Amino acid sequence: QVRLVESGGGLVQAGGSLRLSCAASGQTLSSYAMGWFRQAPGKEREFVAAIRWSRTNYADSVKGRFTISRDNARNTMYLQMNSLKPEDTAVYYCARAAQVMDNIPLTKSEYNYWGQGTQVTVSS
């Protein structure tokens, strides 16, 4: 069983920064892609970023502002969020891919382990 725990969310003003962490237990991260998703009130959960080994992929809405990384020795993944905007307000979830694959999965159906989420609120 895999357990994922997010932390680092909070309230920040527009233009500010936050770093989210996702601590994993139960399974080594390195072989599986890991991703960040977010869900705003009344909206679908959407892809934010994902990483497998050194390869990364980002949603267009966060490119150039967010950076995903991982520390396999610590079984932890991070999301550095800079230049935050009010539209980034959401609950952010980390997830682990269901299968080991070469490509980086971009849809939530391709992930089968999820954290409980951490709230990020960006004020204008």
Side-chain angles (χ1 to χ4, degrees):
Q1 190 72 9
V2 175
R3 183 167 181 253
L4 304 174
V5 179
E6 302 97 335
S7 61
L11 173 63
V12 64
Q13 289 188 332
S17 298
L18 283 174
R19 189 175 84 151
L20 305 183
S21 298
C22 173
S25 60
Q27 181 101 26
T28 303
L29 290 177
S30 57
S31 298
Y32 291 84
M34 295 286 295
W36 288 98
F37 289 75
R38 66 187 181 186
Q39 188 167 16
K43 294 189 176 181
E44 293 286 324
R45 190 170 299 189
E46 64 175 6
F47 171 79
V48 175
I51 186 168
R52 183 173 185 265
W53 300 113
S54 59
R55 294 169 54 210
T56 59
N57 205 320
Y58 296 92
D60 288 342
S61 59
V62 306
K63 277 181 184 175
R65 300 188 298 122
F66 291 10
T67 303
I68 189 172
S69 62
R70 65 198 297 173
D71 184 338
N72 291 330
R74 289 183 168 84
N75 271 359
T76 303
M77 178 178 65
Y78 304 98
L79 185 68
Q80 178 67 44
M81 305 185 296
N82 298 329
S83 302
L84 283 161
K85 305 175 181 179
E87 51 264 42
D88 294 318
T89 295
V91 178
Y92 283 70
Y93 298 90
C94 68
R96 200 208 74 177
Q99 299 180 48
V100 176
M101 57 182 72
D102 288 338
N103 60 302
I104 295 179
L106 305 180
T107 64
K108 55 183 184 290
S109 63
E110 297 176 281
Y111 292 80
N112 64 339
Y113 288 104
W114 294 85
Q116 82 289 349
T118 186
Q119 177 70 46
V120 171
T121 303
V122 184
S123 62
S124 57

